[in-house]
Amino acid sequence: MGERRLAVHVLDTRIEIVLQGRDTDELFARAEEAWSLALAPNTDVDAVVVADLLPEGGQRHHRAVGWEPKPGKPWAFAEPDAGRLLMLLTQYVTSAAIKEQSGRLLMLHAAGLAHPQTGKASIWVAPGNMGKSTLVRTLGPSFCYLTDETIAIRRDGTIAPYAKPVSTRVHEAAGVKEERAPGPLGLSLADIAARPAGLVFLERDATHEGPAQITELDTLSAIEAAVPESSAFMVTDKPLQWLANILESTGGARRVRYAEASDLLPLAREIMGEAP
Amino acid sequence: MSVQENSGAFSTGQVKLGDIVDVLEREGESLVLANGMIHRLSPPATLILQRANAGWIGVPELVVALVTEFGDPPDGDADALTRDMVDALIEAHLLKSRNLSSST
């Protein structure tokens, strides 16, 4: 039994992760590797997530979806399986960061990649389990990694990265995901600030044949499609006008129907430009 | 004359803009954020909200504004169609209504 701590900087939020329970040294090593692109000093933290690895067979303790801790209290959960704990850790870190940035950042459920030299970013909007991580693993090594989960846009038009572990579904039926370190997947961070250059709604269809089918969306339709995939949209100041400005300054939004993530490479290049 | 504000179905009286958080208009249509929901409005409904933004306004004035902008509706009468739209906008909390009645 012990306790290990690390901190990550995600979505402009510094979050301390406290690992408790059994096998904390091994758990710390796995978490440190998985979050390697987001590690930060353990000072001036905005929120704390406590993950307790229970003895095998222990009674897991997860909060209900939408639960938030009282002000000043940590986000906390307990789980007997280490792999599942790391998956849940990502979800709790995401919730904590989104909570901290509610009203400040425009947040969309999307994957994001950026050109390493221009910072031009492509934003790929989709619900969970609809191809975002696969897209990142496939196209990401040619560009820079922003996120496979939440794109957050600041008022100044730059993107706050969320370089989380890449979630990969390993047990389809159980819905368990493995949290993989971005580095070994060939993913790296951009050295310059990323800015939106194009927004795409993903519509993966395994039966689709031929090149990706692209449909232009007008501003109102794009916002209607984006709102269900947003976080804290309703508590953001003038969110409709903010998102409209982003869309209209980047050539609008598109919906793309495709079968394989590699089919999206031409569109990625069109939005971000050819990577060196 | 007594005035009673309400947010229920509108029969007679006047309407004004509800508690709108954000509005975005493009080519006559609009998206409206209110009461935690996004609504997409047709050009006629958008015009009603524009007119109601200036303060309390009656349905007859809205009918005139709609007919002036869009012409007479091809089927149905403008008055009934306007009342239907106003009722729907009240139900969606995009408009507030008040009934005006004479007291004895």
Side-chain angles (χ1 to χ4, degrees), chain B residues 26-63:
Chain B
R26 292 292 182 272
E27 298 176 357
E29 287 186 276
S30 61
L31 286 181
V32 181
L33 176 56
N35 203 34
M37 293 182 68
I38 299 265
H39 303 269
R40 185 163 183 165
L41 302 187
S42 65
T46 299
L47 181 66
I48 290 175
L49 255 59
Q50 287 172 346
R51 294 305 170 105
N53 190 29
W56 292 107
I57 186 170
V59 170
E61 292 90 337
L62 291 173
V63 173

Short mmCIF file of all heavy atoms in Angstrom, two decimals, chain B residues 26-63:
data_model
loop_
_atom_site.label_atom_id
_atom_site.label_comp_id
_atom_site.label_asym_id
_atom_site.label_seq_id
_atom_site.Cartn_x
_atom_site.Cartn_y
_atom_site.Cartn_z
N ARG B 26 -28.44 33.72 -40.21
CA ARG B 26 -27.77 33.58 -41.50
C ARG B 26 -28.82 33.41 -42.58
O ARG B 26 -29.63 32.48 -42.53
CB ARG B 26 -26.83 32.36 -41.51
CG ARG B 26 -25.60 32.48 -40.61
CD ARG B 26 -24.63 33.55 -41.11
NE ARG B 26 -23.42 33.63 -40.28
CZ ARG B 26 -23.29 34.38 -39.20
NH1 ARG B 26 -24.31 35.14 -38.79
NH2 ARG B 26 -22.15 34.39 -38.52
N GLU B 27 -28.81 34.31 -43.55
CA GLU B 27 -29.70 34.22 -44.71
C GLU B 27 -31.17 34.05 -44.30
O GLU B 27 -31.89 33.23 -44.87
CB GLU B 27 -29.26 33.09 -45.63
CG GLU B 27 -27.85 33.31 -46.20
CD GLU B 27 -27.36 32.14 -47.03
OE1 GLU B 27 -28.08 31.14 -47.13
OE2 GLU B 27 -26.25 32.25 -47.58
N GLY B 28 -31.58 34.81 -43.31
CA GLY B 28 -32.98 34.82 -42.89
C GLY B 28 -33.31 33.81 -41.83
O GLY B 28 -34.20 34.02 -41.00
N GLU B 29 -32.61 32.68 -41.80
CA GLU B 29 -32.85 31.68 -40.77
C GLU B 29 -32.04 32.04 -39.52
O GLU B 29 -31.13 32.86 -39.57
CB GLU B 29 -32.42 30.30 -41.24
CG GLU B 29 -33.33 29.68 -42.27
CD GLU B 29 -32.89 28.24 -42.58
OE1 GLU B 29 -32.00 28.07 -43.42
OE2 GLU B 29 -33.44 27.33 -41.95
N SER B 30 -32.36 31.35 -38.42
CA SER B 30 -31.58 31.62 -37.21
C SER B 30 -31.48 30.39 -36.33
O SER B 30 -32.29 29.47 -36.42
CB SER B 30 -32.22 32.77 -36.41
OG SER B 30 -33.53 32.42 -36.02
N LEU B 31 -30.44 30.40 -35.51
CA LEU B 31 -30.33 29.48 -34.38
C LEU B 31 -30.50 30.32 -33.13
O LEU B 31 -29.93 31.41 -33.02
CB LEU B 31 -28.96 28.80 -34.35
CG LEU B 31 -28.67 27.72 -35.38
CD1 LEU B 31 -27.27 27.16 -35.15
CD2 LEU B 31 -29.69 26.59 -35.30
N VAL B 32 -31.28 29.81 -32.21
CA VAL B 32 -31.54 30.55 -30.98
C VAL B 32 -31.24 29.62 -29.80
O VAL B 32 -31.69 28.48 -29.76
CB VAL B 32 -33.00 31.02 -30.91
CG1 VAL B 32 -33.24 31.82 -29.63
CG2 VAL B 32 -33.35 31.86 -32.13
N LEU B 33 -30.46 30.14 -28.87
CA LEU B 33 -30.13 29.40 -27.65
C LEU B 33 -30.94 29.98 -26.51
O LEU B 33 -30.81 31.16 -26.18
CB LEU B 33 -28.62 29.51 -27.37
CG LEU B 33 -28.07 28.89 -26.10
CD1 LEU B 33 -28.41 27.42 -26.01
CD2 LEU B 33 -26.56 29.10 -26.04
N ALA B 34 -31.78 29.16 -25.93
CA ALA B 34 -32.63 29.61 -24.82
C ALA B 34 -33.06 28.41 -24.00
O ALA B 34 -33.29 27.33 -24.54
CB ALA B 34 -33.87 30.34 -25.34
N ASN B 35 -33.15 28.62 -22.71
CA ASN B 35 -33.67 27.57 -21.83
C ASN B 35 -32.88 26.26 -21.97
O ASN B 35 -33.43 25.16 -21.88
CB ASN B 35 -35.15 27.33 -22.13
CG ASN B 35 -35.88 26.70 -20.97
OD1 ASN B 35 -35.56 26.98 -19.82
ND2 ASN B 35 -36.83 25.83 -21.26
N GLY B 36 -31.57 26.38 -22.24
CA GLY B 36 -30.72 25.20 -22.34
C GLY B 36 -30.89 24.42 -23.62
O GLY B 36 -30.43 23.27 -23.71
N MET B 37 -31.56 25.00 -24.60
CA MET B 37 -31.78 24.28 -25.86
C MET B 37 -31.46 25.18 -27.06
O MET B 37 -31.54 26.40 -26.96
CB MET B 37 -33.24 23.80 -25.96
CG MET B 37 -33.60 22.73 -24.96
SD MET B 37 -35.30 22.19 -25.18
CE MET B 37 -35.16 21.37 -26.77
N ILE B 38 -31.12 24.52 -28.17
CA ILE B 38 -30.90 25.23 -29.42
C ILE B 38 -32.12 25.01 -30.32
O ILE B 38 -32.57 23.88 -30.48
CB ILE B 38 -29.65 24.67 -30.14
CG1 ILE B 38 -28.41 24.86 -29.28
CG2 ILE B 38 -29.50 25.32 -31.52
CD1 ILE B 38 -27.62 26.09 -29.58
N HIS B 39 -32.61 26.09 -30.89
CA HIS B 39 -33.73 26.00 -31.82
C HIS B 39 -33.31 26.59 -33.16
O HIS B 39 -32.66 27.63 -33.20
CB HIS B 39 -34.93 26.79 -31.29
CG HIS B 39 -35.38 26.37 -29.93
ND1 HIS B 39 -36.32 25.40 -29.71
CD2 HIS B 39 -34.98 26.78 -28.70
CE1 HIS B 39 -36.50 25.23 -28.42
NE2 HIS B 39 -35.69 26.06 -27.77
N ARG B 40 -33.69 25.92 -34.24
CA ARG B 40 -33.47 26.47 -35.57
C ARG B 40 -34.80 27.02 -36.07
O ARG B 40 -35.79 26.30 -36.14
CB ARG B 40 -32.94 25.41 -36.53
CG ARG B 40 -32.60 26.00 -37.90
CD ARG B 40 -31.71 25.09 -38.69
NE ARG B 40 -31.32 25.69 -39.96
CZ ARG B 40 -30.34 25.24 -40.72
NH1 ARG B 40 -29.64 24.19 -40.33
NH2 ARG B 40 -30.03 25.83 -41.86
N LEU B 41 -34.78 28.29 -36.42
CA LEU B 41 -36.02 28.97 -36.80
C LEU B 41 -36.03 29.30 -38.29
O LEU B 41 -35.02 29.71 -38.86
CB LEU B 41 -36.18 30.26 -36.00
CG LEU B 41 -36.21 30.12 -34.47
CD1 LEU B 41 -36.55 31.46 -33.84
CD2 LEU B 41 -37.20 29.06 -34.01
N SER B 42 -37.22 29.17 -38.86
CA SER B 42 -37.44 29.54 -40.27
C SER B 42 -37.36 31.05 -40.40
O SER B 42 -37.43 31.78 -39.40
CB SER B 42 -38.82 29.05 -40.69
OG SER B 42 -39.81 29.75 -39.95
N PRO B 43 -37.27 31.56 -41.64
CA PRO B 43 -37.26 33.02 -41.81
C PRO B 43 -38.47 33.72 -41.19
O PRO B 43 -38.29 34.75 -40.53
CB PRO B 43 -37.19 33.18 -43.33
CG PRO B 43 -36.40 31.98 -43.78
CD PRO B 43 -36.89 30.86 -42.90
N PRO B 44 -39.72 33.21 -41.35
CA PRO B 44 -40.84 33.91 -40.70
C PRO B 44 -40.72 33.93 -39.17
O PRO B 44 -40.98 34.96 -38.54
CB PRO B 44 -42.07 33.10 -41.14
CG PRO B 44 -41.66 32.46 -42.43
CD PRO B 44 -40.22 32.14 -42.26
N ALA B 45 -40.33 32.81 -38.59
CA ALA B 45 -40.18 32.77 -37.13
C ALA B 45 -39.04 33.70 -36.68
O ALA B 45 -39.12 34.35 -35.63
CB ALA B 45 -39.92 31.34 -36.66
N THR B 46 -38.00 33.76 -37.49
CA THR B 46 -36.89 34.67 -37.17
C THR B 46 -37.37 36.12 -37.19
O THR B 46 -37.00 36.91 -36.31
CB THR B 46 -35.75 34.47 -38.20
OG1 THR B 46 -35.29 33.12 -38.12
CG2 THR B 46 -34.59 35.42 -37.91
N LEU B 47 -38.23 36.45 -38.16
CA LEU B 47 -38.74 37.81 -38.25
C LEU B 47 -39.60 38.14 -37.02
O LEU B 47 -39.53 39.26 -36.48
CB LEU B 47 -39.56 37.99 -39.53
CG LEU B 47 -40.12 39.40 -39.75
CD1 LEU B 47 -39.01 40.40 -39.97
CD2 LEU B 47 -41.07 39.41 -40.95
N ILE B 48 -40.38 37.17 -36.57
CA ILE B 48 -41.21 37.40 -35.37
C ILE B 48 -40.32 37.75 -34.18
O ILE B 48 -40.58 38.69 -33.43
CB ILE B 48 -42.08 36.16 -35.08
CG1 ILE B 48 -43.17 36.00 -36.14
CG2 ILE B 48 -42.70 36.26 -33.69
CD1 ILE B 48 -44.01 34.74 -36.01
N LEU B 49 -39.24 37.00 -34.01
CA LEU B 49 -38.34 37.29 -32.89
C LEU B 49 -37.67 38.65 -33.03
O LEU B 49 -37.49 39.38 -32.05
CB LEU B 49 -37.27 36.18 -32.77
CG LEU B 49 -37.49 35.19 -31.62
CD1 LEU B 49 -38.81 34.48 -31.76
CD2 LEU B 49 -36.35 34.20 -31.53
N GLN B 50 -37.33 38.99 -34.27
CA GLN B 50 -36.72 40.31 -34.49
C GLN B 50 -37.68 41.41 -34.05
O GLN B 50 -37.29 42.36 -33.37
CB GLN B 50 -36.37 40.49 -35.97
CG GLN B 50 -35.17 39.67 -36.43
CD GLN B 50 -34.99 39.72 -37.94
OE1 GLN B 50 -35.89 40.14 -38.67
NE2 GLN B 50 -33.84 39.27 -38.41
N ARG B 51 -38.95 41.29 -34.45
CA ARG B 51 -39.93 42.33 -34.11
C ARG B 51 -40.21 42.34 -32.60
O ARG B 51 -40.41 43.40 -32.01
CB ARG B 51 -41.23 42.10 -34.88
CG ARG B 51 -41.08 42.28 -36.39
CD ARG B 51 -40.49 43.64 -36.71
NE ARG B 51 -40.12 43.78 -38.10
CZ ARG B 51 -40.82 44.49 -38.99
NH1 ARG B 51 -41.89 45.13 -38.62
NH2 ARG B 51 -40.40 44.55 -40.24
N ALA B 52 -40.22 41.16 -32.01
CA ALA B 52 -40.50 41.08 -30.57
C ALA B 52 -39.32 41.57 -29.73
O ALA B 52 -39.47 41.83 -28.54
CB ALA B 52 -40.85 39.64 -30.19
N ASN B 53 -38.18 41.71 -30.36
CA ASN B 53 -36.98 42.15 -29.64
C ASN B 53 -37.10 43.62 -29.22
O ASN B 53 -36.45 44.07 -28.28
CB ASN B 53 -35.75 41.95 -30.52
CG ASN B 53 -34.46 42.16 -29.77
OD1 ASN B 53 -34.41 41.94 -28.56
ND2 ASN B 53 -33.43 42.60 -30.45
N ALA B 54 -37.94 44.36 -29.95
CA ALA B 54 -38.07 45.79 -29.65
C ALA B 54 -39.03 46.04 -28.48
O ALA B 54 -39.14 47.18 -28.02
CB ALA B 54 -38.56 46.52 -30.89
N GLY B 55 -39.72 45.03 -28.01
CA GLY B 55 -40.67 45.21 -26.90
C GLY B 55 -42.00 44.56 -27.22
O GLY B 55 -42.13 43.86 -28.23
N TRP B 56 -42.97 44.77 -26.37
CA TRP B 56 -44.27 44.11 -26.54
C TRP B 56 -44.88 44.46 -27.89
O TRP B 56 -44.87 45.62 -28.30
CB TRP B 56 -45.23 44.55 -25.43
CG TRP B 56 -44.85 44.05 -24.07
CD1 TRP B 56 -44.34 44.80 -23.06
CD2 TRP B 56 -44.94 42.72 -23.58
NE1 TRP B 56 -44.10 44.01 -21.96
CE2 TRP B 56 -44.46 42.73 -22.24
CE3 TRP B 56 -45.36 41.50 -24.14
CZ2 TRP B 56 -44.41 41.58 -21.47
CZ3 TRP B 56 -45.31 40.35 -23.34
CH2 TRP B 56 -44.84 40.39 -22.04
N ILE B 57 -45.41 43.45 -28.56
CA ILE B 57 -46.01 43.66 -29.87
C ILE B 57 -47.19 42.68 -30.02
O ILE B 57 -47.14 41.54 -29.52
CB ILE B 57 -44.97 43.44 -31.01
CG1 ILE B 57 -45.58 43.79 -32.38
CG2 ILE B 57 -44.40 42.03 -30.99
CD1 ILE B 57 -44.55 43.85 -33.50
N GLY B 58 -48.25 43.13 -30.67
CA GLY B 58 -49.44 42.30 -30.83
C GLY B 58 -49.36 41.45 -32.09
O GLY B 58 -48.59 41.73 -33.01
N VAL B 59 -50.21 40.43 -32.12
CA VAL B 59 -50.23 39.54 -33.30
C VAL B 59 -50.62 40.29 -34.58
O VAL B 59 -50.03 40.04 -35.64
CB VAL B 59 -51.17 38.34 -33.04
CG1 VAL B 59 -51.40 37.55 -34.33
CG2 VAL B 59 -50.56 37.42 -32.00
N PRO B 60 -51.59 41.21 -34.53
CA PRO B 60 -51.92 41.92 -35.79
C PRO B 60 -50.71 42.62 -36.40
O PRO B 60 -50.54 42.59 -37.62
CB PRO B 60 -52.99 42.92 -35.33
CG PRO B 60 -53.62 42.28 -34.14
CD PRO B 60 -52.52 41.57 -33.44
N GLU B 61 -49.89 43.22 -35.58
CA GLU B 61 -48.69 43.88 -36.10
C GLU B 61 -47.71 42.86 -36.69
O GLU B 61 -47.05 43.12 -37.71
CB GLU B 61 -48.00 44.69 -34.99
CG GLU B 61 -48.77 45.91 -34.52
CD GLU B 61 -49.71 45.61 -33.36
OE1 GLU B 61 -50.11 44.43 -33.19
OE2 GLU B 61 -50.07 46.55 -32.64
N LEU B 62 -47.64 41.71 -36.06
CA LEU B 62 -46.75 40.66 -36.59
C LEU B 62 -47.27 40.14 -37.93
O LEU B 62 -46.48 39.85 -38.84
CB LEU B 62 -46.64 39.51 -35.58
CG LEU B 62 -45.88 39.82 -34.29
CD1 LEU B 62 -45.98 38.65 -33.31
CD2 LEU B 62 -44.41 40.12 -34.59
N VAL B 63 -48.59 40.02 -38.05
CA VAL B 63 -49.18 39.56 -39.32
C VAL B 63 -48.80 40.52 -40.43
O VAL B 63 -48.36 40.12 -41.53
CB VAL B 63 -50.71 39.43 -39.21
CG1 VAL B 63 -51.32 39.12 -40.58
CG2 VAL B 63 -51.09 38.36 -38.20
#
